[in-house]
Amino acid sequence: MKKIVALTIVWVLTVSVFAGCGSKKTVDSKEGADTPSTSHNNKDKEQGDEVEPLDFAVVLLDADLSPNEIQIYQELEEKTGVKINWQTVPDAGWEEKRSLLFASNNLPDAFFGNFILTDNDVLKYGTQGMLIPLEDYITPEIMPNLSSTFEKYPELKKSVTAPDGHIYGLPSFDNGSVTTTTNVHYINKDWLEAVNMEVPTTTEAFYQVLKAFKENDVNGNGDPDDEIPYSFQKSTNYISDLFGAFGIIDDYKTHIDVQNGKVIFTAADPAYKEAIMFFNRLFKEGLIDQEAFTHDSKAFKAKLKSEERIVGSFQSWRSTGWAIEEGDDTYVPVPPLVGPKGHQLYPERINGVKSKGAFAVSYEAKNPEYIMAWVDHIYEPFFGLQISYALKDGVHIEDKDGDGKYETLVEATTDNRTGVIPQGKVRIDNVTPEASAMLAEKPKHLAEKHMLDAYYNQHYRGEYYPKVFFTLKEVERLSILRTDIVDYSNEMYARWMQVGGIEDDWDSYLDRLNQMGLKELIQIHQDALDRFNN
């Protein structure tokens, strides 16, 4: 009942804003404990003159439907009377399209969706005046849902507040029933049985297992040469998740980490060198997929889901990355490996704010208050839970007993989600602990992830580089420094893994990194970290 009252109040407040923006709609609602729910299927507006449509830009992955084809957004339009002219752009062409929009000053009223704008976009175009400051609209009167969330979880507001004190973009976030591990290390249990070996616990045991996979026809098809002992891909952080066995946590995209409060560049650390030497040994002996650095995610997935199993070990989000059918248990998790010096670390998934640019309003918008009042519906806790977890009320879940606890009606699948609930980037993830507590049981995917987390929870270092905001000046320098330093590091990463030579090249490699400005790169990250902490 508390949820019902809260949702009714949200609607009353929001409609008052819409009315002030030229809408002639009226609302017939009563405040109080007996007010009927207005959150889902009830019509809580009278038909009247339509308000002017808004123009929103939305990035679509290749398989995504436009928001106007998705039931929950259709219901939101019916509820609010707000018509959105969704401008959809394929994900592959968004970076170029985004640049053209800002360069030509041909901007939509707003940008909507997970990761539609990068942190740098938000800061750059915000300080240039092309995106407007939003903090004055995040009030109990205009945005009761988001303002309440910011009050309860001030770190969320802190994360999206730019160095100049303004908020130019709204966040996507998950503070609910979170998972702590991104990629799980899997191994084929049938192949282990075929060679009479156990799940490896050390890097050396892992090497021996992969060697046995290569030397035997472990998939039993009569071809001893079609097995790929170990594979990886860019989407799995390449092979860097396994560097924890050598005492270092490496993010291939940035190579930035924190140790005891000090920023380090992992690709210049001796432990990084040791890790690459080990995996080069595996490459040289044909134990790693020779296409690991070149195949795309589609080809990688095809290998993992091959009906005749050809891959022995890999990393994946969960079983959906490799399972061929329901109940498939071909692969089992591998706990963090113990390295030659006794290290046993694994990278921890960073939860909380996912994107600082999930929603932004351009200077072209005629009535930002109207737009902000509309988007506050997205941040209503139960609506946020539905779109974030892709569970639609009345389709996948239902409050059967009226106690505020939602039970599963049917297991959510790709088929019964399509056209009903948004997926991917056509949504703004936002889940609070209170919202996730509305579910009577964990969704199947979260239950599985939490089970898998148990293999790794004791092996996180507990320290990581947070999602800080850099100043515009820092962003400009980082765009140059990262291009030079990270690109060069990753070029050598791939070369040393496949060809070798890191021992001979290491000193000259460090010299070149320093010449490129490595110390400045580290200092910029340190300054931003210090500001964030203080």
Side-chain angles (χ1 to χ4, degrees):
M1 186 58 68
K2 289 182 180 179
K3 177 176 73 69
I4 293 173
V5 175
L7 291 171
T8 303
I9 293 172
V10 168
W11 173 243
V12 171
L13 291 170
T14 304
V15 164
S16 68
V17 174
F18 288 165
C21 300
S23 171
K24 295 182 181 179
K25 299 179 187 65
T26 60
V27 178
D28 182 15
S29 62
K30 300 177 182 179
E31 295 185 33
D34 296 325
T35 305
S37 172
T38 62
S39 60
H40 310 129
N41 299 318
N42 296 337
K43 289 179 63 176
D44 53 3
K45 68 177 181 62
E46 297 289 341
Q47 295 298 323
D49 292 346
E50 289 190 3
V51 297
E52 182 178 354
L54 305 176
D55 290 323
F56 280 13
V58 176
V59 178
L60 293 185
L61 296 176
D62 293 338
D64 283 339
L65 298 174
S66 172
N68 59 24
E69 300 175 272
I70 299 173
Q71 181 183 343
I72 198 167
Y73 288 137
Q74 293 169 346
E75 292 175 0
L76 184 60
E77 179 182 328
E78 174 67 15
K79 171 185 172 182
T80 63
V82 178
K83 172 70 174 176
I84 308 296
N85 291 328
W86 300 98
Q87 300 175 11
T88 59
V89 182
D91 187 53
W94 173 237
E95 188 171 346
E96 180 180 1
K97 176 69 172 178
R98 181 182 62 214
S99 298
L100 290 173
L101 284 173
F102 282 103
S104 64
N105 283 331
N106 183 24
L107 299 173
D109 290 321
F111 296 85
F112 178 101
N114 289 336
F115 306 103
I116 190 166
L117 297 177
T118 67
D119 296 357
N120 291 349
D121 290 333
V122 170
L123 184 61
K124 176 182 177 181
Y125 297 121
T127 55
Q128 289 179 359
M130 303 184 82
L131 300 177
I132 66 169
L134 304 177
E135 63 273 6
D136 290 344
Y137 302 105
I138 307 174
T139 65
E141 294 73 29
I142 300 171
M143 300 190 73
N145 290 307
L146 187 59
S147 63
S148 175
T149 298
F150 276 0
E151 184 178 354
K152 290 179 181 177
Y153 305 100
E155 69 276 8
L156 291 176
K157 183 177 181 180
K158 177 181 176 182
S159 293
V160 295
T161 302
D164 63 3
H166 289 304
I167 295 175
Y168 297 111
L170 301 185
S172 61
F173 61 88
D174 189 351
N175 279 345
S177 186
V178 297
T179 179
T180 59
T181 306
T182 300
N183 296 309
V184 175
H185 184 189
Y186 285 102
I187 198 163
N188 191 312
K189 69 177 181 63
D190 296 333
W191 289 15
L192 286 172
E193 291 176 6
V195 295
N196 196 30
M197 299 180 79
E198 301 291 331
V199 173
T201 58
T202 68
T203 52
E204 183 59 28
F206 184 52
Y207 163 75
Q208 295 296 340
V209 165
L210 298 185
K211 191 174 179 182
F213 286 172
K214 179 177 175 56
E215 294 173 350
N216 294 274
D217 179 25
V218 283
N219 62 7
N221 67 352
D223 183 355
D225 299 319
D226 68 340
E227 286 84 0
I228 301 172
Y230 176 74
S231 187
F232 58 83
Q233 203 264 332
K234 184 178 181 179
S235 62
T236 65
N237 198 29
Y238 285 117
I239 206 168
S240 288
D241 283 0
L242 304 189
F243 282 18
F246 299 87
I248 196 161
I249 300 298
D250 179 55
D251 179 353
Y252 175 86
K253 296 183 294 295
T254 66
H255 300 297
I256 291 294
D257 195 25
V258 184
Q259 292 184 3
N260 300 317
K262 298 298 181 183
V263 175
I264 68 165
F265 188 72
T266 53
D269 193 278
Y272 178 91
K273 176 184 175 184
E274 293 176 21
I276 287 184
M277 289 171 61
F278 173 79
F279 289 109
N280 169 245
R281 175 189 178 195
L282 273 55
F283 258 109
K284 285 194 299 186
E285 296 189 26
L287 307 183
I288 296 180
D289 189 348
Q290 299 302 299
E291 297 177 334
F293 282 103
T294 57
H295 60 193
D296 60 18
S297 58
K298 184 176 181 180
F300 179 61
K301 184 176 181 179
K303 292 176 182 178
L304 302 190
K305 285 182 171 280
S306 171
E307 191 163 342
E308 186 172 75
R309 297 299 191 178
I310 60 172
V311 181
S313 184
F314 55 85
Q315 283 95 257
S316 180
W317 170 248
R318 66 184 185 97
S319 62
T320 49
W322 52 263
I324 296 174
E325 58 186 8
E326 186 73 23
D328 188 348
D329 62 351
T330 304
Y331 294 94
V332 295
V334 180
L337 299 172
V338 178
K341 296 181 180 178
H343 296 294
Q344 191 182 16
L345 298 175
Y346 207 77
E348 180 178 4
R349 176 178 170 83
I350 302 175
N351 293 293
V353 172
K354 295 181 176 181
S355 167
K356 299 174 185 177
F359 189 83
V361 179
S362 81
Y363 77 99
E364 297 274 13
K366 295 177 182 177
N367 200 317
E369 185 174 330
Y370 179 94
I371 295 172
M372 294 293 280
W374 176 85
V375 80
D376 193 59
H377 286 275
I378 304 295
Y379 288 98
E380 187 278 309
F382 186 64
F383 191 94
L385 177 73
Q386 291 179 83
I387 62 174
S388 301
Y389 288 171
L391 299 171
K392 177 73 170 65
D393 182 30
V395 177
H396 308 108
I397 54 175
E398 184 177 68
D399 182 4
K400 296 179 180 180
D401 300 324
D403 59 358
K405 292 289 186 180
Y406 287 78
E407 300 176 39
T408 300
L409 287 177
V410 298
E411 197 67 50
T413 66
T414 299
D415 288 342
N416 65 31
R417 283 168 167 163
T418 300
V420 174
I421 201 82
Q423 301 180 68
K425 295 182 179 179
V426 194
R427 63 185 184 188
I428 299 175
D429 289 336
N430 63 102
V431 186
T432 62
E434 294 85 357
S436 65
M438 295 180 187
L439 296 177
E441 56 187 352
K442 296 177 184 177
K444 186 177 180 180
H445 68 284
L446 282 179
E448 180 186 357
K449 282 297 291 184
H450 290 168
M451 180 273 293
L452 295 168
D453 287 343
Y455 287 89
Y456 302 95
N457 282 338
Q458 302 303 312
H459 303 287
Y460 306 138
R461 202 178 57 231
E463 187 177 25
Y464 51 80
Y465 195 81
K467 296 176 181 178
V468 304
F469 240 131
F470 296 100
T471 66
L472 191 58
K473 183 179 179 180
E474 289 170 341
V475 168
E476 291 172 350
R477 283 300 296 152
L478 285 175
S479 67
I480 298 171
L481 293 169
R482 283 173 174 164
T483 299
D484 292 341
I485 295 172
V486 176
D487 285 1
Y488 171 59
S489 296
N490 289 346
E491 175 189 340
M492 300 306 295
Y493 177 103
R495 181 188 301 176
W496 287 331
M497 284 275 190
Q498 298 173 92
V499 181
I502 191 171
E503 290 181 281
D504 294 334
D505 297 340
W506 186 250
D507 290 341
S508 60
Y509 162 77
L510 294 180
D511 288 342
R512 186 170 177 185
L513 288 179
N514 287 322
Q515 292 168 11
M516 289 177 169
L518 178 58
K519 291 182 179 179
E520 183 183 2
L521 178 78
I522 293 173
Q523 189 60 54
I524 289 173
H525 283 85
Q526 186 69 56
D527 291 343
L529 177 64
D530 292 343
R531 284 197 307 270
F532 182 88
N533 289 334
N534 295 327

